[in-house]
Amino acid sequence: MGTQGATVAELVQARWADHRPGLWFEDEVYSHHQVTAAAAARAALLADLLPRGAEAHVAVLLDNTPEFPRWLSAAALAGAAVAGINPTRRGAELARDILHTEARILITERAHLPLLDGLELPGVRVLVTDTDAYAELLKPYEGAKPGEHTVGEGGPRSRILLYFTSGSTGAPKAAICTQGRLAAAGQSLVRFHGVRLDDVHYICMPMFHGNAVIADWAPALAAGAGVALRRRFSASAFLSDVRKYRATYFTYVGRAVQYLLATEPGDDDRDNPLRVGFGTEAGAVDARRFAERFGVKLVEGYGSSEGGASIQRTADTPPGAIGRATPGDDLAVVDPASRAECPPARFGPGGRLLNGDEAIGELVNRGRNPFEGYWRNPEADAARVRDGWYWTGDLFYRDAAGFLYFAGRTDDRLRVDSENLAAAMIENILARWPAASAVAVYAVPDPVAGDQVMATLALSAGAASFSPSDFARFLAGQSDLGPKMIPTYLRIVDRMPVTATNKVHRVALRRTGFRCADPVWWRAGASSAYRRFSPEDLAGLLGRYREQGREDLLGR
């Protein structure tokens, strides 16, 4: 099954003699051989263009077009690395990302040229893929063969990716991924999902992000499967694309699944060739709805973007759990302050977590450490690996059988009335409300101490309007919803604000809090009923914050 290789370059070279269709984009079709030949030409071009002594890095500012996988393969063949650039970044932040990678060549397209207007990018040569000049530049290299032109040493320890990971604070960090790790990840997913030669992987998540490359492109390459590209994710075009390309596999992150579920249902939704969807943050409720509607199983996985820890799902994984530690990893859920391992979770009726305050902690890897570091960021390296342990920055709890349950990011922990709560757990409960297409839960400061729970709800297309009484009845029927989990504030939106990778834009939601233009409902005092949050309510509440000296906490 697939091709064994210690490096991505070996996996690319294995497709040289493969003349089957291997890449689809809109109405274009390319064979595996054509993709490999195009990669060899770009590797040769890179060898000529890269200044002597420069880092072997190429910045790529592209949508999901054929040029993106061509340059990934070219970098592998040349012993270079691709730095994916997020096109939603702007101005000085965008320039900072490009310059931070130390790339001397930037690959982009005409659609993104306006983003570069006015930016100072000293020493960076810009190549625009959809131009005659680019085609002319490549012509002399069209006869190149894989392995003829290199700029780096290559090998398993050679860098292949610099991909930015976002956090709640500070500039994005560029995580390093080597050829050995990417090849191993692809081959592992081939085995796990049973990827076959005749499979087609639909890549609709942005390729500047690790999910699309590591979890979608790499296993397709390792198996010799085909790849179908969507320039940008489109919920309305998803099914038609899947049918057009006969796609069998796709990946997702963040709220993509909710957007797909929010499309108009059709009688033929289950008439599709998909076999599996693999990703994270769909939630158990939406995964069930997706399987019922489309007949496709969603497999929730977990692997830290930097490669420091992973969790493997097995057939006996209970509902709500991600799985157990991958063999060889010594994963533990610990209290960050004491470094003591948290006790196992205890569950009550309806699966309610009874001891979340003591059972929820940060997931760490105390064993072998596959983390390869961040580019030129020793402070971030030191924060990620402390005393020989890899700290994921993610909250989990573990049951008595060793199964691990995701509870959110460490930034998503809430402390309500001296009790620690995890946003992800509350979200999974609120997601059961039929009128919601997406849910986000986060903390807002309490006027006196600790936090209060706030939720943003995006209504589904069939919901006429928000009914506070219906929502209150729904909450009362959730046996696993503890009283401190009930949101104090509800923000109602037509569409959930998301980042470029379709993850909820929690930073923006937390900063805005209840001071927003969208309708907000709240439970005032000890009341269990929701009512509209008025300008008078806001003025009175801000006065309470000022009295307690906590107004400066709002908007952080």
Side-chain angles (χ1 to χ4, degrees), residues 74 99 118 130 134 149 184 228 275 293 316 352 477 488 499 517 531:
L99 295 175
D130 48 350
Y134 182 74
H149 303 274
R275 189 173 74 251
R293 177 173 166 183
D316 58 341
R352 178 182 171 188
T488 300
T499 66
R531 64 177 177 82

Side-chain angles (χ1 to χ4, degrees), residues 3-215:
T3 302
Q4 293 302 306
T7 66
V8 179
E10 292 173 3
L11 300 178
V12 172
Q13 290 171 353
R15 303 268 68 83
W16 175 255
D18 189 344
H19 294 275
R20 297 175 301 123
L23 176 62
W24 291 263
F25 174 72
E26 296 176 352
D27 294 324
E28 304 169 13
V29 185
Y30 304 92
S31 71
H32 289 284
H33 169 77
Q34 287 175 311
V35 174
T36 307
R42 283 152 181 79
L45 173 64
L46 178 62
D48 276 355
L49 293 186
L50 196 68
R52 185 180 299 275
E55 293 291 347
H57 297 169
V58 181
V60 176
L61 176 62
L62 293 172
D63 289 338
N64 290 357
T65 68
E67 284 296 317
F68 214 125
R70 287 169 183 159
W71 274 101
L72 286 171
S73 296
L77 294 175
V82 162
I85 305 299
N86 184 344
T88 67
R89 302 272 282 173
R90 294 291 186 273
E93 292 183 342
L94 177 61
R96 178 263 170 199
D97 290 351
I98 297 169
L99 295 175
H100 177 68
T101 67
E102 299 183 54
R104 303 297 291 273
I105 298 172
L106 172 64
I107 310 298
T108 190
E109 55 190 311
R110 285 183 293 181
H112 292 321
L113 284 179
L115 300 179
L116 305 179
D117 286 347
L119 297 190
E120 293 186 9
L121 300 172
V124 179
R125 179 167 180 174
V126 178
L127 304 184
V128 186
T129 60
D130 48 350
T131 62
D132 292 338
Y134 182 74
E136 287 299 317
L137 192 63
L138 279 168
K139 269 187 179 180
Y141 304 97
E142 289 178 353
K145 293 182 173 56
E148 286 184 342
H149 303 274
T150 61
V151 295
E153 295 181 1
R157 297 179 63 83
S158 173
R159 290 186 297 275
I160 177 68
L161 296 177
L162 296 176
Y163 53 98
F164 286 99
T165 62
S166 59
S168 59
T169 59
K173 303 177 290 291
I176 296 169
C177 180
T178 60
Q179 289 214 31
R181 179 157 76 91
L182 185 56
Q187 291 161 351
S188 175
L189 289 172
V190 168
R191 294 188 294 270
F192 182 73
H193 292 296
V195 182
R196 305 182 298 253
L197 277 170
D198 59 352
D199 277 322
V200 175
H201 286 211
Y202 179 56
I203 301 181
C204 54
M205 296 293 100
M207 293 192 75
F208 66 78
H209 188 256
N211 168 273
V213 176
I214 298 172

Side-chain angles (χ1 to χ4, degrees), residues 332-342 364 366 386-389 391:
V333 178
V334 303
D335 181 331
S338 67
R339 292 170 54 90
E341 192 161 356
C342 297
V364 301
R366 303 178 299 192
R386 305 193 298 275
D387 300 323
W389 290 5
W391 296 75

